[in-house]
Amino acid sequence: MKRARLVSVVLVAAGLVGAAAPAAVAHRPDPVQRQLDLLVDRDGVPGALAYGGGVTRTAGVADLESGRAMVGARGSFRLASDTKAFTATAVMRLVTDGRIRLDDRAGDYVPQLAGRAITVRQLLKQTSGLPEYSALVDWTHAGTSEEYLALALGAAPEFPPGTGWGYSNTNYLVLGMVIDRVSGVGFRTYVERTILRPLGLDDTYWPAPDEFALRGPHARNYGVHPADPEAGRVDVTELPGYEFGASGGLVSTPRDLNAFWDGLFGGRLLPDRAVRQMTGDTTDVGGRDVYPAGSRYGYGVASVPLSCGGVYWGHGGDLPGDSVGGGHATGGRGTVTVYTTTWAAEGDGLRHLQGAVDAALCARGR
């Protein structure tokens, strides 16, 4: 559920080598595959995948013990913070339907926030100042949204509402509670009804309580388990996904995630004006944390500059056992999902993961 680790890199295109013989054909290395190979060969990632334009590229293996081949575009993985884009879209559906307003106080729907000047808009934009709850949770025990929010409210705010920007999963924990109250059916059911079913995302689901395993074909995941960090890097495929909730709980596939981005930015989920608001009312986050210069954060979506010009809109996310990046690019450059089977959210791993995103989207315009 950690913040989306989005970054853009400028790729140096491989030059064609002239041949003396007329029949000789120069070979251009696949820049996307190169980044995936670097993730595995240099960064120690067990498996990596990129899916875009109907093409699946993989590197490494799906299971270190058996050595079986990496899964494809219908292999399940945890979306982590990419879930926030789904939650934000659901909130904007309620706004579009006139059931809530962006400048409503969150305390109108969530009693624990009564008396606090935090609005729905600030939650979406990560400008509420609410501190991070996930670092305070005892992950060996299940808890409720109310209990998790209480942990955050017991800590000092990061800043007064609306005066700064600070990524916090607590914002989307609260938005899930807002959807619960307004929809009357719970955020999971509401997302299913308004997003998953209309787009036919049959391989995307919310884990049930006490459901730790992934459904369907999937790779194994490796990392430091939050409940036993002293054990080092272990198999963390089984995690309490239900507990990650509206800020990071969805499970999907590369094919389904690309279909979500295409559906959102293609006008199939929200009116154009709502999408323009999600991507127009933004905060400059360039140079903060891992965001490169020119990045902006909107309502559950962020824009990242491409080396070939333009930007892509997505979110991204990280869990102990995976990292995911990608989204939908401007200028007809398409949509891509890249993920790894271990945490790759800093250093060379981050650079190569996002290099694969950049290479895949920029290739569409060449």
Side-chain angles (χ1 to χ4, degrees), residues 138-173:
D138 178 358
W139 291 108
T140 63
H141 299 88
T144 66
S145 295
E146 289 77 14
E147 289 170 342
Y148 294 154
L149 178 55
L151 291 174
L153 296 180
E158 297 294 325
F159 48 81
T163 65
W165 184 89
Y167 190 97
S168 174
N169 286 292
T170 310
N171 290 312
Y172 280 75
L173 170 77

mmCIF file of all heavy atoms in Angstrom, residues 138-173:
data_model
loop_
_atom_site.group_PDB
_atom_site.id
_atom_site.type_symbol
_atom_site.label_atom_id
_atom_site.label_comp_id
_atom_site.label_asym_id
_atom_site.label_seq_id
_atom_site.Cartn_x
_atom_site.Cartn_y
_atom_site.Cartn_z
ATOM 1 N N ASP A 138 -0.889 -3.230 13.678
ATOM 2 C CA ASP A 138 -0.341 -4.545 13.995
ATOM 3 C C ASP A 138 -0.926 -5.523 12.980
ATOM 4 O O ASP A 138 -2.069 -5.955 13.095
ATOM 5 C CB ASP A 138 -0.739 -4.943 15.417
ATOM 6 C CG ASP A 138 -0.228 -6.334 15.801
ATOM 7 O OD1 ASP A 138 0.393 -7.000 14.944
ATOM 8 O OD2 ASP A 138 -0.458 -6.754 16.950
ATOM 9 N N TRP A 139 -0.129 -5.873 11.976
ATOM 10 C CA TRP A 139 -0.638 -6.671 10.864
ATOM 11 C C TRP A 139 -0.840 -8.140 11.218
ATOM 12 O O TRP A 139 -1.250 -8.933 10.378
ATOM 13 C CB TRP A 139 0.275 -6.526 9.652
ATOM 14 C CG TRP A 139 0.204 -5.164 9.048
ATOM 15 C CD1 TRP A 139 1.154 -4.181 9.096
ATOM 16 C CD2 TRP A 139 -0.887 -4.604 8.308
ATOM 17 N NE1 TRP A 139 0.720 -3.055 8.441
ATOM 18 C CE2 TRP A 139 -0.525 -3.284 7.940
ATOM 19 C CE3 TRP A 139 -2.139 -5.094 7.913
ATOM 20 C CZ2 TRP A 139 -1.361 -2.452 7.206
ATOM 21 C CZ3 TRP A 139 -2.983 -4.260 7.177
ATOM 22 C CH2 TRP A 139 -2.594 -2.959 6.829
ATOM 23 N N THR A 140 -0.555 -8.505 12.461
ATOM 24 C CA THR A 140 -0.835 -9.883 12.873
ATOM 25 C C THR A 140 -2.286 -10.049 13.305
ATOM 26 O O THR A 140 -2.732 -11.173 13.557
ATOM 27 C CB THR A 140 0.084 -10.314 14.030
ATOM 28 O OG1 THR A 140 -0.170 -9.487 15.184
ATOM 29 C CG2 THR A 140 1.545 -10.188 13.632
ATOM 30 N N HIS A 141 -3.030 -8.947 13.401
ATOM 31 C CA HIS A 141 -4.421 -8.998 13.821
ATOM 32 C C HIS A 141 -5.281 -8.203 12.847
ATOM 33 O O HIS A 141 -4.882 -7.121 12.398
ATOM 34 C CB HIS A 141 -4.599 -8.425 15.231
ATOM 35 C CG HIS A 141 -3.845 -9.161 16.281
ATOM 36 N ND1 HIS A 141 -2.538 -8.865 16.617
ATOM 37 C CD2 HIS A 141 -4.203 -10.205 17.074
ATOM 38 C CE1 HIS A 141 -2.128 -9.673 17.568
ATOM 39 N NE2 HIS A 141 -3.114 -10.505 17.864
ATOM 40 N N ALA A 142 -6.447 -8.743 12.522
ATOM 41 C CA ALA A 142 -7.380 -8.015 11.663
ATOM 42 C C ALA A 142 -7.991 -6.852 12.431
ATOM 43 O O ALA A 142 -8.151 -6.910 13.659
ATOM 44 C CB ALA A 142 -8.478 -8.951 11.167
ATOM 45 N N GLY A 143 -8.337 -5.791 11.704
ATOM 46 C CA GLY A 143 -8.954 -4.629 12.326
ATOM 47 C C GLY A 143 -10.017 -4.046 11.428
ATOM 48 O O GLY A 143 -10.192 -4.463 10.280
ATOM 49 N N THR A 144 -10.742 -3.061 11.938
ATOM 50 C CA THR A 144 -11.780 -2.389 11.165
ATOM 51 C C THR A 144 -11.257 -1.052 10.653
ATOM 52 O O THR A 144 -10.242 -0.532 11.142
ATOM 53 C CB THR A 144 -13.020 -2.130 12.024
ATOM 54 O OG1 THR A 144 -12.673 -1.190 13.064
ATOM 55 C CG2 THR A 144 -13.525 -3.425 12.649
ATOM 56 N N SER A 145 -11.963 -0.486 9.682
ATOM 57 C CA SER A 145 -11.589 0.834 9.179
ATOM 58 C C SER A 145 -11.613 1.863 10.298
ATOM 59 O O SER A 145 -10.745 2.750 10.362
ATOM 60 C CB SER A 145 -12.553 1.249 8.059
ATOM 61 O OG SER A 145 -12.431 0.401 6.930
ATOM 62 N N GLU A 146 -12.595 1.759 11.169
ATOM 63 C CA GLU A 146 -12.702 2.697 12.281
ATOM 64 C C GLU A 146 -11.501 2.586 13.219
ATOM 65 O O GLU A 146 -10.970 3.604 13.704
ATOM 66 C CB GLU A 146 -14.002 2.449 13.055
ATOM 67 C CG GLU A 146 -15.266 2.849 12.322
ATOM 68 C CD GLU A 146 -15.677 1.858 11.239
ATOM 69 O OE1 GLU A 146 -15.130 0.720 11.216
ATOM 70 O OE2 GLU A 146 -16.540 2.206 10.413
ATOM 71 N N GLU A 147 -11.061 1.361 13.466
ATOM 72 C CA GLU A 147 -9.896 1.160 14.331
ATOM 73 C C GLU A 147 -8.632 1.706 13.672
ATOM 74 O O GLU A 147 -7.791 2.335 14.336
ATOM 75 C CB GLU A 147 -9.738 -0.324 14.642
ATOM 76 C CG GLU A 147 -10.818 -0.862 15.573
ATOM 77 C CD GLU A 147 -10.811 -2.367 15.686
ATOM 78 O OE1 GLU A 147 -10.218 -3.043 14.800
ATOM 79 O OE2 GLU A 147 -11.405 -2.883 16.653
ATOM 80 N N TYR A 148 -8.480 1.474 12.365
ATOM 81 C CA TYR A 148 -7.303 1.977 11.664
ATOM 82 C C TYR A 148 -7.301 3.498 11.633
ATOM 83 O O TYR A 148 -6.258 4.143 11.816
ATOM 84 C CB TYR A 148 -7.255 1.412 10.244
ATOM 85 C CG TYR A 148 -7.038 -0.085 10.184
ATOM 86 C CD1 TYR A 148 -7.489 -0.820 9.091
ATOM 87 C CD2 TYR A 148 -6.389 -0.766 11.203
ATOM 88 C CE1 TYR A 148 -7.294 -2.192 9.014
ATOM 89 C CE2 TYR A 148 -6.194 -2.131 11.143
ATOM 90 C CZ TYR A 148 -6.651 -2.843 10.046
ATOM 91 O OH TYR A 148 -6.453 -4.196 9.993
ATOM 92 N N LEU A 149 -8.466 4.093 11.403
ATOM 93 C CA LEU A 149 -8.539 5.555 11.382
ATOM 94 C C LEU A 149 -8.215 6.117 12.763
ATOM 95 O O LEU A 149 -7.545 7.155 12.873
ATOM 96 C CB LEU A 149 -9.925 6.005 10.928
ATOM 97 C CG LEU A 149 -10.168 7.524 10.901
ATOM 98 C CD1 LEU A 149 -9.127 8.238 10.043
ATOM 99 C CD2 LEU A 149 -11.577 7.822 10.406
ATOM 100 N N ALA A 150 -8.666 5.460 13.808
ATOM 101 C CA ALA A 150 -8.367 5.917 15.163
ATOM 102 C C ALA A 150 -6.859 5.964 15.415
ATOM 103 O O ALA A 150 -6.365 6.872 16.100
ATOM 104 C CB ALA A 150 -9.054 5.010 16.188
ATOM 105 N N LEU A 151 -6.126 5.000 14.869
ATOM 106 C CA LEU A 151 -4.671 5.015 15.009
ATOM 107 C C LEU A 151 -4.079 6.272 14.386
ATOM 108 O O LEU A 151 -3.204 6.923 14.971
ATOM 109 C CB LEU A 151 -4.061 3.773 14.349
ATOM 110 C CG LEU A 151 -4.330 2.422 15.022
ATOM 111 C CD1 LEU A 151 -3.776 1.296 14.145
ATOM 112 C CD2 LEU A 151 -3.720 2.374 16.408
ATOM 113 N N ALA A 152 -4.554 6.610 13.185
ATOM 114 C CA ALA A 152 -4.049 7.799 12.507
ATOM 115 C C ALA A 152 -4.425 9.070 13.259
ATOM 116 O O ALA A 152 -3.615 9.997 13.388
ATOM 117 C CB ALA A 152 -4.592 7.863 11.078
ATOM 118 N N LEU A 153 -5.646 9.119 13.766
ATOM 119 C CA LEU A 153 -6.105 10.321 14.461
ATOM 120 C C LEU A 153 -5.422 10.493 15.815
ATOM 121 O O LEU A 153 -5.439 11.592 16.381
ATOM 122 C CB LEU A 153 -7.624 10.272 14.637
ATOM 123 C CG LEU A 153 -8.435 10.294 13.341
ATOM 124 C CD1 LEU A 153 -9.926 10.244 13.641
ATOM 125 C CD2 LEU A 153 -8.089 11.519 12.507
ATOM 126 N N GLY A 154 -4.821 9.436 16.300
ATOM 127 C CA GLY A 154 -4.068 9.532 17.540
ATOM 128 C C GLY A 154 -2.683 10.121 17.349
ATOM 129 O O GLY A 154 -1.996 10.438 18.331
ATOM 130 N N ALA A 155 -2.277 10.283 16.094
ATOM 131 C CA ALA A 155 -0.985 10.897 15.783
ATOM 132 C C ALA A 155 -1.196 12.348 15.351
ATOM 133 O O ALA A 155 -2.294 12.748 14.978
ATOM 134 C CB ALA A 155 -0.288 10.111 14.674
ATOM 135 N N ALA A 156 -0.140 13.115 15.386
ATOM 136 C CA ALA A 156 -0.238 14.530 15.011
ATOM 137 C C ALA A 156 -0.438 14.670 13.508
ATOM 138 O O ALA A 156 0.182 13.930 12.728
ATOM 139 C CB ALA A 156 1.026 15.264 15.431
ATOM 140 N N PRO A 157 -1.289 15.605 13.050
ATOM 141 C CA PRO A 157 -1.453 15.842 11.613
ATOM 142 C C PRO A 157 -0.134 16.262 10.984
ATOM 143 O O PRO A 157 0.724 16.868 11.642
ATOM 144 C CB PRO A 157 -2.488 16.972 11.554
ATOM 145 C CG PRO A 157 -3.181 16.947 12.876
ATOM 146 C CD PRO A 157 -2.146 16.480 13.871
ATOM 147 N N GLU A 158 0.031 15.950 9.719
ATOM 148 C CA GLU A 158 1.234 16.350 9.003
ATOM 149 C C GLU A 158 1.255 17.846 8.733
ATOM 150 O O GLU A 158 2.312 18.479 8.734
ATOM 151 C CB GLU A 158 1.333 15.579 7.677
ATOM 152 C CG GLU A 158 1.478 14.075 7.835
ATOM 153 C CD GLU A 158 2.783 13.679 8.488
ATOM 154 O OE1 GLU A 158 3.803 14.358 8.240
ATOM 155 O OE2 GLU A 158 2.785 12.706 9.256
ATOM 156 N N PHE A 159 0.078 18.415 8.505
ATOM 157 C CA PHE A 159 -0.078 19.849 8.250
ATOM 158 C C PHE A 159 -1.564 20.173 8.310
ATOM 159 O O PHE A 159 -2.399 19.263 8.213
ATOM 160 C CB PHE A 159 0.510 20.240 6.888
ATOM 161 C CG PHE A 159 0.094 19.344 5.756
ATOM 162 C CD1 PHE A 159 -1.143 19.484 5.121
ATOM 163 C CD2 PHE A 159 0.944 18.340 5.311
ATOM 164 C CE1 PHE A 159 -1.526 18.650 4.087
ATOM 165 C CE2 PHE A 159 0.567 17.491 4.272
ATOM 166 C CZ PHE A 159 -0.672 17.645 3.663
ATOM 167 N N PRO A 160 -1.933 21.440 8.470
ATOM 168 C CA PRO A 160 -3.353 21.796 8.453
ATOM 169 C C PRO A 160 -3.975 21.454 7.103
ATOM 170 O O PRO A 160 -3.309 21.562 6.060
ATOM 171 C CB PRO A 160 -3.349 23.310 8.704
ATOM 172 C CG PRO A 160 -2.045 23.579 9.386
ATOM 173 C CD PRO A 160 -1.077 22.600 8.791
ATOM 174 N N PRO A 161 -5.235 21.024 7.082
ATOM 175 C CA PRO A 161 -5.880 20.632 5.817
ATOM 176 C C PRO A 161 -5.770 21.710 4.740
ATOM 177 O O PRO A 161 -5.995 22.890 4.998
ATOM 178 C CB PRO A 161 -7.345 20.432 6.236
ATOM 179 C CG PRO A 161 -7.278 20.086 7.682
ATOM 180 C CD PRO A 161 -6.135 20.889 8.236
ATOM 181 N N GLY A 162 -5.376 21.265 3.565
ATOM 182 C CA GLY A 162 -5.309 22.155 2.409
ATOM 183 C C GLY A 162 -4.071 23.010 2.312
ATOM 184 O O GLY A 162 -3.935 23.783 1.357
ATOM 185 N N THR A 163 -3.127 22.869 3.241
ATOM 186 C CA THR A 163 -1.938 23.733 3.217
ATOM 187 C C THR A 163 -0.694 23.038 2.693
ATOM 188 O O THR A 163 0.363 23.659 2.603
ATOM 189 C CB THR A 163 -1.641 24.265 4.625
ATOM 190 O OG1 THR A 163 -1.295 23.170 5.489
ATOM 191 C CG2 THR A 163 -2.844 25.013 5.191
ATOM 192 N N GLY A 164 -0.794 21.758 2.372
ATOM 193 C CA GLY A 164 0.360 21.028 1.877
ATOM 194 C C GLY A 164 -0.077 19.785 1.133
ATOM 195 O O GLY A 164 -1.272 19.563 0.900
ATOM 196 N N TRP A 165 0.894 18.990 0.742
ATOM 197 C CA TRP A 165 0.615 17.721 0.065
ATOM 198 C C TRP A 165 1.423 16.644 0.775
ATOM 199 O O TRP A 165 2.633 16.803 1.003
ATOM 200 C CB TRP A 165 1.008 17.769 -1.401
ATOM 201 C CG TRP A 165 0.648 16.521 -2.169
ATOM 202 C CD1 TRP A 165 -0.526 16.283 -2.806
ATOM 203 C CD2 TRP A 165 1.460 15.354 -2.360
ATOM 204 N NE1 TRP A 165 -0.508 15.028 -3.393
ATOM 205 C CE2 TRP A 165 0.696 14.438 -3.127
ATOM 206 C CE3 TRP A 165 2.739 14.997 -1.947
ATOM 207 C CZ2 TRP A 165 1.190 13.187 -3.492
ATOM 208 C CZ3 TRP A 165 3.234 13.746 -2.306
ATOM 209 C CH2 TRP A 165 2.459 12.864 -3.085
ATOM 210 N N GLY A 166 0.768 15.550 1.114
ATOM 211 C CA GLY A 166 1.473 14.450 1.754
ATOM 212 C C GLY A 166 0.748 13.146 1.497
ATOM 213 O O GLY A 166 -0.404 12.983 1.893
ATOM 214 N N TYR A 167 1.435 12.225 0.820
ATOM 215 C CA TYR A 167 0.816 10.957 0.466
ATOM 216 C C TYR A 167 0.518 10.160 1.724
ATOM 217 O O TYR A 167 1.401 9.925 2.558
ATOM 218 C CB TYR A 167 1.747 10.157 -0.441
ATOM 219 C CG TYR A 167 1.108 8.943 -1.049
ATOM 220 C CD1 TYR A 167 0.574 8.995 -2.332
ATOM 221 C CD2 TYR A 167 1.022 7.760 -0.335
ATOM 222 C CE1 TYR A 167 -0.025 7.869 -2.894
ATOM 223 C CE2 TYR A 167 0.424 6.640 -0.884
ATOM 224 C CZ TYR A 167 -0.102 6.701 -2.163
ATOM 225 O OH TYR A 167 -0.702 5.599 -2.700
ATOM 226 N N SER A 168 -0.734 9.730 1.872
ATOM 227 C CA SER A 168 -1.140 8.963 3.042
ATOM 228 C C SER A 168 -2.262 8.015 2.674
ATOM 229 O O SER A 168 -3.295 8.435 2.137
ATOM 230 C CB SER A 168 -1.605 9.904 4.160
ATOM 231 O OG SER A 168 -2.135 9.176 5.249
ATOM 232 N N ASN A 169 -2.079 6.743 2.965
ATOM 233 C CA ASN A 169 -3.134 5.765 2.723
ATOM 234 C C ASN A 169 -4.383 6.063 3.530
ATOM 235 O O ASN A 169 -5.474 5.614 3.188
ATOM 236 C CB ASN A 169 -2.617 4.358 3.057
ATOM 237 C CG ASN A 169 -1.663 3.831 2.018
ATOM 238 O OD1 ASN A 169 -2.033 3.549 0.895
ATOM 239 N ND2 ASN A 169 -0.402 3.705 2.402
ATOM 240 N N THR A 170 -4.238 6.829 4.603
ATOM 241 C CA THR A 170 -5.383 7.175 5.434
ATOM 242 C C THR A 170 -6.428 7.949 4.648
ATOM 243 O O THR A 170 -7.632 7.802 4.892
ATOM 244 C CB THR A 170 -4.920 7.992 6.653
ATOM 245 O OG1 THR A 170 -3.829 7.312 7.293
ATOM 246 C CG2 THR A 170 -6.057 8.180 7.643
ATOM 247 N N ASN A 171 -6.007 8.765 3.702
ATOM 248 C CA ASN A 171 -6.963 9.516 2.891
ATOM 249 C C ASN A 171 -7.937 8.586 2.174
ATOM 250 O O ASN A 171 -9.144 8.850 2.123
ATOM 251 C CB ASN A 171 -6.227 10.378 1.863
ATOM 252 C CG ASN A 171 -5.494 11.534 2.497
ATOM 253 O OD1 ASN A 171 -6.040 12.264 3.317
ATOM 254 N ND2 ASN A 171 -4.231 11.705 2.129
ATOM 255 N N TYR A 172 -7.429 7.498 1.635
ATOM 256 C CA TYR A 172 -8.279 6.586 0.877
ATOM 257 C C TYR A 172 -8.987 5.576 1.772
ATOM 258 O O TYR A 172 -10.041 5.056 1.409
ATOM 259 C CB TYR A 172 -7.461 5.948 -0.251
ATOM 260 C CG TYR A 172 -7.366 6.934 -1.392
ATOM 261 C CD1 TYR A 172 -6.512 8.036 -1.317
ATOM 262 C CD2 TYR A 172 -8.193 6.837 -2.498
ATOM 263 C CE1 TYR A 172 -6.473 8.991 -2.321
ATOM 264 C CE2 TYR A 172 -8.161 7.777 -3.516
ATOM 265 C CZ TYR A 172 -7.308 8.854 -3.418
ATOM 266 O OH TYR A 172 -7.285 9.798 -4.418
ATOM 267 N N LEU A 173 -8.444 5.321 2.940
ATOM 268 C CA LEU A 173 -9.192 4.600 3.959
ATOM 269 C C LEU A 173 -10.484 5.356 4.265
ATOM 270 O O LEU A 173 -11.580 4.774 4.299
ATOM 271 C CB LEU A 173 -8.349 4.463 5.220
ATOM 272 C CG LEU A 173 -9.061 3.929 6.471
ATOM 273 C CD1 LEU A 173 -9.244 2.430 6.372
ATOM 274 C CD2 LEU A 173 -8.274 4.279 7.723
#
